[in-house]
């Protein structure tokens, strides 16, 4: 249930309504709309009579939230969420460009790629230290060693680090090395993991599951937010369809749907969506054109010898060209590339 306050409602009015909501067994989420405050009641509101709030002079209207997710819904929070990470912004009119290798493989590999993507204008450095692989015999990542290398690359380039955490047991030791925690597609419904990252204060990049609906993605965001961490970034990374030419099918309409349903920033990962390096630039442009708040792309200086996802990784010079080509496009959609 959301209670929309009148424009001239006072702090006392807001406090009074808040206490009333709490006395009915719900928790309160207050957000600022364009010109008024909105009080969201979280919990079982089915037995609450909306009329008791409509009687109040300071209340404009009361609406029931139909969606099963509350904190993630735009109804609860009409203004776009903007997340700040070490001086960089995700959401609003800023474009976030997350770039780097699929896996951290060695110091030389990571530093080469990190320096080149920084040079071309990336905003964040990505790289997997813990790798979710389909085969247990494939490279599983350098783990803690990989996290240390990411920290070093971040110190040299100034780029904040986005890296995946796969299990609750990895969180504590990984936190000092991570600026944005990535939850991978395969873990989108690992509810214990979602709850635990919800207890941290790090922004969370939540990737859409391979066969997850938009509502399921938003419910997973709700798991994180319900624990107190409201800094969630959603990522469309392609979904599984009957098509086999591409690795997945990029669902660009999800960006539009999520923007309508939620206030959270949405980015697109064209690398995992297509599985093909030559599709990364055009799909990045398409993502920006439909209003994505950023892109996450895999970059490797030697894709033929990459330990994972070489076929979908673009070379540093292609990344530089991509950055060049999105400059004018970003202006058209009122987004700014950050330096
Ligand atoms: C990744 O970004 O490294 C990754 C494994 O992606 P996804 O979880 O989307 O498959
Ligand atoms: Mn990958």
């Amino acid at each position: 249930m959301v209670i929309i306050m009148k424009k001239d409602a006072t702090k006392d009015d807001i406090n009074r309504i808040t206490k009333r909501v709490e006395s009915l067994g719900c928790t309160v989420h207050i957000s600022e709309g364009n010109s008024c405050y909105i009080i969201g009641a979280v919990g079982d509101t089915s037995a609450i009579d909306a009329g008791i709030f409509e009687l109040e002079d300071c209340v404009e209207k009361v609406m029931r939230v139909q969606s099963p997710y509350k904190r993630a819904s735009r109804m609860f929070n009409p203004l776009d969420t903007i997340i700040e990470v070490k001086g960089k912004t995700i959401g609003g009119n800023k474009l976030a460009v997350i770039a780097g290798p699929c896996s951290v493989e060695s110091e030389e590999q990571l530093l080469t790629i990190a320096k080149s993507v920084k040079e071309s204008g990336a905003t964040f450095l990505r790289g997997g230290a813990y790798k979710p692989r389909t085969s247990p015999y494939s490279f599983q990542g350098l783990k803690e060693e990989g996290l240390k290398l990411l920290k070093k690359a971040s110190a040299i380039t100034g780029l904040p680090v986005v890296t995946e955490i796969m299990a609750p047991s990895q969180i504590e030791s990984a936190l000092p090395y991570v600026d944005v925690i990535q939850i991978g597609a395969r873990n989108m419904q690992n509810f214990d993991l979602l709850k635990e990252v919800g207890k941290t204060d790090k922004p969370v990049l939540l990737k859409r599951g391979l066969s997850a609906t938009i509502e399921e993605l938003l419910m997973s965001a709700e798991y994180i937010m319900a624990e107190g961490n409201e800094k969630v970034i959603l990522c469309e990374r392609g979904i599984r369809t009957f098509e086999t030419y591409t690795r997945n099918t990029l669902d660009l309409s999800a960006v539009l749907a999520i923007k309508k349903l939620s206030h959270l920033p949405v980015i697109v990962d064209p690398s995992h969506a297509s599985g093909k390096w030559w599709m990364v630039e055009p799909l990045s442009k398409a993502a920006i054109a439909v209003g994505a708040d950023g892109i996450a792309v895999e970059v490797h200086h030697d894709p033929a010898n990459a330990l994972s996802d070489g076929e979908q990784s673009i070379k540093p010079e292609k990344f530089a060209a991509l950055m060049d080509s999105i400059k004018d496009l970003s202006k058209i959609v009122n987004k700014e590339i950050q330096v």
Side-chain angles (χ1 to χ4, degrees):
M1 181 183 278
V2 287
I3 301 159
I4 299 165
M5 303 297 285
K6 283 198 177 137
K7 279 192 187 105
D8 56 2
T10 63
K11 286 264 174 314
D12 281 350
D13 291 330
I14 293 167
N15 285 341
R16 196 177 60 258
I17 302 291
T18 298
K19 289 216 174 80
R20 190 79 204 268
V21 171
E22 284 169 347
S23 74
L24 293 164
C26 293
T27 50
V28 164
H29 181 281
I30 300 178
S31 53
E32 212 175 329
N34 276 326
S35 58
C36 62
Y37 281 91
I38 295 165
I39 299 177
V42 189
D44 183 9
T45 56
S46 53
I48 300 177
D49 175 9
I52 60 172
F53 295 108
E54 278 159 352
L55 283 174
E56 296 269 355
D57 223 12
C58 57
V59 170
E60 180 68 40
K61 62 178 167 177
V62 181
M63 291 190 293
R64 293 215 174 262
V65 179
Q66 301 299 336
S67 65
Y69 46 88
K70 309 261 188 262
R71 291 177 160 86
S73 86
R74 193 172 276 286
M75 211 176 195
F76 250 52
N77 199 356
L79 299 184
D80 287 343
T81 286
I82 296 173
I83 298 171
E84 305 283 347
V85 194
K86 289 195 162 165
K88 312 283 185 196
T89 301
I90 307 176
N93 69 344
K94 297 279 186 351
L95 198 71
V97 179
I98 302 169
C102 177
S103 304
V104 178
E105 299 170 8
S106 68
E107 179 163 342
E108 196 205 346
Q109 173 249 17
L110 185 64
L111 292 185
T112 304
I113 299 167
K115 285 176 192 166
S116 74
V117 297
K118 162 74 183 178
E119 183 78 7
S120 304
T123 337
F124 292 88
L125 174 66
R126 64 147 287 146
Y130 295 100
K131 292 304 303 176
R133 305 303 301 280
T134 302
S135 165
Y137 308 116
S138 301
F139 176 59
Q140 302 285 309
L142 294 182
K143 306 185 172 73
E144 289 89 348
E145 182 53 26
L147 292 175
K148 287 180 188 152
L149 293 176
L150 284 163
K151 183 99 183 164
K152 184 166 184 180
S154 176
I156 292 171
T157 58
L159 296 176
V161 166
V162 181
T163 195
E164 178 162 357
I165 290 179
M166 288 172 58
S169 59
Q170 293 161 359
I171 296 175
E172 203 183 314
S173 59
L175 279 185
Y177 302 99
V178 179
D179 299 305
V180 177
I181 298 172
Q182 178 173 317
I183 300 294
R186 289 154 193 84
N187 269 320
M188 190 204 84
Q189 286 189 319
N190 180 340
F191 299 118
D192 285 340
L193 180 60
L194 299 178
K195 284 183 200 164
E196 288 307 312
V197 299
K199 289 175 189 151
T200 74
D201 63 356
K202 299 271 178 179
V204 179
L205 175 64
L206 177 64
K207 300 189 87 173
R208 182 177 180 184
L210 275 66
S211 301
T213 63
I214 292 166
E215 183 168 299
E216 285 164 342
L217 173 62
L218 290 167
M219 288 305 292
S220 291
E222 189 78 10
Y223 258 94
I224 299 168
M225 299 173 88
E227 295 295 329
N229 187 349
E230 307 241 310
K231 291 180 269 183
V232 180
I233 304 130
L234 301 168
C235 179
E236 162 58 37
R237 45 78 72 206
I239 47 173
R240 187 163 283 183
T241 67
F242 52 80
E243 183 54 69
T244 55
Y245 184 76
T246 44
R247 184 175 179 181
N248 292 288
T249 298
L250 178 57
D251 180 10
L252 278 182
S253 57
V255 176
L256 297 158
I258 293 167
K259 287 261 165 216
K260 194 175 177 69
L261 297 168
S262 176
H263 52 88
L264 296 172
V266 192
I267 68 157
V268 167
D269 171 349
S271 308
H272 291 90
S274 65
K276 300 196 186 307
W277 68 266
W278 53 272
M279 288 193 182
V280 169
E281 180 178 327
L283 292 180
S284 296
K285 289 186 193 160
I288 294 165
V290 295
D293 295 297
I295 48 172
V297 299
E298 288 187 338
V299 180
H300 201 290
H301 63 302
D302 184 12
N305 290 301
L307 294 182
S308 60
D309 288 350
E311 62 288 355
Q312 66 192 36
S313 299
I314 54 173
K315 289 187 176 167
E317 52 273 25
K318 288 264 184 283
F319 178 71
L322 184 160
M323 288 303 294
D324 240 20
S325 75
I326 61 176
K327 263 185 204 127
D328 290 338
L329 177 60
S330 307
K331 283 184 208 137
I332 298 171
V333 290
N334 280 326
K335 295 267 190 212
E336 213 177 273
I337 295 180
Q338 307 166 65
V339 277

